Amino acid sequence: MTTDEVNVSPSDEELEHEGDVAADFIEELLDIADIDGDLNLDVRQGRAYVSVEADGGGLSLLSAPETVQALQELTRLAVQNKTGSFSRMILDIGGSRDARRRQLEALVDAAEAKLDDGATQASLPAMSSYERKLVHDIVSERGLVSESYGEGADRHTVISRG
């Protein structure tokens, strides 16, 4: 595989297919767990997004951030197995992504307060690449600077004034 093949972003059609495959996998999991849920598919920022919503509380057990992350990884593997292509699909269960964004905003608030108190930088805990991207976006919106450091599960973000 050449560098150009690696750097080519999937088309919206390919991402929609990825979302369909992911939705089929998630739907099977929900059926096994006897949980009712409505699946919505979207393509945003070069990624397939699959969100699961329910009227009742059936999704509450699945919407914990660690559970969503684990289910997302399983779904990505299922998509990759079916399509033969690496998946960067994002899974949201019961609004878990919005809730996590609010938590990350609170972490950035605390880091910004440390900077206001005179610190030259503030480190956040290790988190997934998707969460780090959200942090970088939040930090950028506030006019601050962020960089990721570390490897693997220890990769974390450091925030400064620049």
Side-chain angles (χ1 to χ4, degrees), residues 85-101:
S85 299
F86 177 74
S87 173
R88 295 177 57 223
M89 178 273 315
I90 299 297
L91 177 63
D92 180 33
I93 298 178
S96 61
R97 294 292 175 182
D98 288 338
R100 183 60 177 150
R101 182 177 174 94

Side-chain angles (χ1 to χ4, degrees), residues 11-152:
S11 68
D12 283 354
E13 184 177 296
E14 291 168 319
L15 291 171
E16 288 170 4
H17 175 64
E18 183 178 315
D20 287 338
V21 172
D24 289 345
F25 179 77
I26 293 295
E27 194 164 13
E28 286 181 37
L29 286 177
L30 292 175
D31 285 346
I32 290 168
D34 197 27
I35 296 173
D36 291 325
D38 296 323
L39 280 80
N40 296 302
L41 309 177
D42 196 8
V43 173
R44 289 186 247 158
Q45 300 173 334
R47 292 182 182 215
Y49 278 71
V50 178
S51 60
V52 183
E53 298 295 330
D55 293 333
L59 294 179
S60 62
L61 293 174
L62 300 179
S63 63
E66 299 82 12
T67 305
V68 173
Q69 185 67 30
L71 288 172
Q72 176 177 282
E73 292 306 315
L74 283 173
T75 305
R76 284 178 174 178
L77 288 171
V79 168
Q80 184 173 335
N81 186 46
K82 181 102 175 184
T83 65
S85 299
F86 177 74
S87 173
R88 295 177 57 223
M89 178 273 315
I90 299 297
L91 177 63
D92 180 33
I93 298 178
S96 61
R97 294 292 175 182
D98 288 338
R100 183 60 177 150
R101 182 177 174 94
R102 288 189 298 276
Q103 291 172 339
L104 295 173
E105 287 171 344
L107 286 174
V108 173
D109 288 343
E112 192 170 7
K114 288 180 184 178
L115 298 175
D116 289 344
D117 288 341
T120 58
Q121 61 184 25
S123 293
L124 299 183
M127 56 188 71
S128 72
S129 61
Y130 178 75
E131 292 172 327
R132 286 192 314 276
K133 178 178 180 337
L134 288 177
V135 166
H136 291 304
D137 291 347
I138 294 165
V139 167
S140 177
E141 291 166 6
R142 296 180 184 194
L144 299 170
V145 175
S146 60
E147 288 189 54
S148 293
Y149 294 96
E151 297 295 325

